[in-house]
Amino acid sequence: MVLFADLKKEYLSISEELNFNIQRVIKSGFYVLGEEVKKFEEDFSKYTGNNYAVGVNSGSDALFLALKSIGIGKGDEVITVSHTFISTVDAIIRNGAKPVFVDINPDTYCMDVSKIEEKITEKTKAILPVHLYGHPADMDPICKLKKNYGLYVIEDACQAHGAEYNGKKVGSICDMGCFSFYPTKNLGAYGDGGAVVTDNEELKEKMVQMRNYGQSEKYHHDFVGINSRLDELQAVILQTKLKHLDGWIESRRKNAEIYTELLQDSDIITPVEKRFAKHAYHLYVIRSKNRDHLKKKLLKNDIHPQIHYPVPVHKQKAYSKWNGLNLEATDQVCSEILSLPLHPWMDYEEILKVTNCLKRR
């Protein structure tokens, strides 16, 4: 069997260190918003190149709170993409604003920056690019639009821990970066978790209050907030894993290189890495007009691929008012993409088995 991801092998590779740290927290008797969360926030902000990090309950809440902190609300528009996990757009809707969709670049699967400016109106307040699958969106043109139109830019880096744009870690390029620590992410917790990184102290302080019922001090609530706290156990797990993240990413990159080399003589479209990018390969996503056939063939051979994502947001039932949008590249790639098994503990024989199965007539 070739698993899509192998969290058991990840655990076994750091089990002694991890078990010691988990037991230390359990024995402490303190489990919510303590020293472990503070330590992880310091470590993670340093890793991304930001001044601050705010640990929250999930990547979904990271996006929601980032938008809320800049005052996004009713009547505002936020420009984003439809080819993403639903949380990107849900965060806009939950704040009462309107998502405005632009198409993607079919090479990178990220926002087509040439299509953003035509969507900017007097109601536009922010741009929300997604660093999808671990490849950064092209941020320089987006940052230029931010400056020219006085907009906020929030990076959805929920799939891009460790990815870089022109030598800078994603999340550190504009106003804020949002991360998910879902277990299968490059940096994953053992449950849900998330964080927002920023250099803006005022926005950081707002989110620190918002994640904890709007409290300025215990039982003193300055505004209506929510309960979205990264807990101590998840924080110490993430602290432990963060030390290994760059090594794991390099293993992902090496395995992705092997995949690409073995598939070069096929008609399968393999991932690209633009000159400005360091791809973190959260996912290795191929394209084929015979996607469904390839998926069935892999499953028949006990190989477990996935599709991220078969139905774009603008065609989801929950977003029916946008069902008629014409997003040509988005619609095309969603019918062709297939995510192959990829994790740091894959060996050459497993990758060879996958590629031989794909190429077999």
Side-chain angles (χ1 to χ4, degrees):
M1 181 184 299
V2 181
L3 297 173
F4 185 75
D6 198 331
L7 298 182
K8 289 183 180 179
K9 285 184 179 178
E10 179 191 85
Y11 166 71
L12 291 172
S13 73
I14 56 171
S15 59
E16 185 175 346
E17 180 184 10
L18 196 57
N19 289 343
F20 176 84
N21 288 335
I22 290 171
Q23 286 297 317
R24 177 170 56 79
V25 172
I26 292 172
K27 289 174 183 177
S28 76
F30 198 97
Y31 309 125
V32 179
L33 290 185
E35 292 304 313
E36 303 299 344
V37 170
K38 290 179 183 176
K39 178 66 164 60
F40 173 68
E41 289 173 339
E42 291 170 1
D43 290 349
F44 193 63
S45 61
K46 183 178 180 180
Y47 178 80
T48 60
N50 292 95
N51 291 334
Y52 310 105
V54 180
V56 297
N57 184 59
S58 65
S60 299
D61 277 2
L63 290 160
F64 170 75
L65 291 171
L67 289 168
K68 191 174 182 65
S69 73
I70 60 174
I72 294 292
K74 187 175 180 180
D76 294 328
E77 294 179 351
V78 178
I79 295 173
T80 192
V81 292
S82 179
H83 184 47
T84 181
F85 184 58
I86 199 76
S87 290
T88 309
V89 185
D90 281 353
I92 300 168
I93 297 290
R94 288 167 61 200
N95 274 291
K98 176 185 175 182
V100 176
F101 296 108
V102 297
D103 213 346
I104 60 168
N105 180 323
D107 291 336
T108 64
Y109 309 116
C110 297
M111 183 177 282
D112 184 341
V113 295
S114 70
K115 298 184 182 300
I116 299 173
E117 190 166 21
E118 65 191 48
K119 297 292 185 178
I120 295 174
T121 72
E122 61 183 13
K123 295 180 179 180
T124 306
K125 193 162 186 178
I127 304 172
L128 182 51
V130 182
H131 305 308
L132 199 68
Y133 305 150
H135 191 288
D138 189 0
M139 294 303 297
D140 280 350
I142 295 173
C143 293
K144 185 176 180 180
L145 290 171
K146 163 188 163 62
K147 182 178 179 180
N148 291 347
Y149 289 92
L151 306 174
Y152 287 98
V153 174
I154 297 173
E155 302 171 62
D156 182 340
C158 288
Q159 297 185 10
H161 317 67
E164 296 180 9
Y165 178 82
N166 286 332
K168 292 186 69 175
K169 288 282 197 303
V170 297
S172 68
I173 299 163
C174 283
D175 296 295
M176 283 178 278
C178 300
F179 292 85
S180 164
F181 303 125
Y182 186 77
T184 56
K185 297 298 170 68
N186 288 11
L187 179 63
Y190 289 161
D192 278 315
V196 183
V197 294
T198 185
D199 288 337
N200 187 309
E201 186 176 11
E202 182 182 354
L203 294 178
K204 183 266 291 188
E205 290 297 334
K206 280 185 182 179
M207 286 182 286
V208 166
Q209 282 191 250
M210 286 190 295
R211 73 176 176 187
N212 194 25
Y213 302 105
Q215 291 184 116
S216 54
E217 57 182 294
K218 196 170 180 67
Y219 304 130
H220 291 262
H221 306 267
D222 296 349
F223 48 81
V224 177
I226 63 173
N227 178 1
S228 182
R229 303 176 297 205
L230 182 68
D231 68 64
E232 292 285 280
L233 280 170
Q234 301 301 346
V236 81
I237 289 164
L238 292 165
Q239 279 180 48
T240 307
K241 289 187 174 186
L242 183 59
K243 300 172 187 176
H244 302 273
L245 179 58
D246 284 341
W248 291 345
I249 290 172
E250 286 310 308
S251 294
R252 287 177 176 274
R253 288 175 56 81
K254 288 176 183 176
N255 286 339
E257 186 178 344
I258 294 169
Y259 262 129
T260 300
E261 183 179 347
L262 292 174
L263 290 171
Q264 66 181 345
D265 58 348
S266 72
D267 58 1
I268 288 169
I269 299 172
T270 55
V272 303
E273 183 175 65
K274 294 294 189 180
R275 284 183 298 174
F276 57 71
K278 180 181 178 180
H279 202 317
Y281 284 104
H282 168 55
L283 298 172
Y284 187 90
V285 180
I286 62 169
R287 283 172 56 197
S288 171
K289 295 187 182 302
N290 298 314
R291 185 268 308 278
D292 294 339
H293 170 70
L294 293 178
K295 183 183 177 184
K296 289 177 182 177
K297 187 162 62 166
L298 290 170
L299 289 170
K300 187 176 180 180
N301 285 271
D302 220 4
I303 299 166
H304 296 264
Q306 293 188 23
I307 300 174
H308 302 83
Y309 301 95
V311 182
V313 177
H314 75 284
K315 289 194 171 179
Q316 296 283 349
K317 184 177 180 181
Y319 289 87
S320 58
K321 69 168 66 176
W322 287 277
N323 286 175
L325 275 182
N326 179 26
L327 299 173
E328 186 176 349
T330 296
D331 291 335
Q332 180 181 348
V333 303
C334 285
S335 68
E336 297 177 352
I337 49 175
L338 186 66
S339 303
L340 301 183
L342 179 73
H343 56 81
W345 296 274
M346 285 189 81
D347 59 36
Y348 181 84
E349 293 303 317
E350 287 178 305
I351 299 172
L352 185 62
K353 178 179 178 179
V354 176
T355 56
N356 282 345
C357 183
L358 288 169
K359 293 189 289 184
R360 194 179 304 132
R361 296 295 179 185

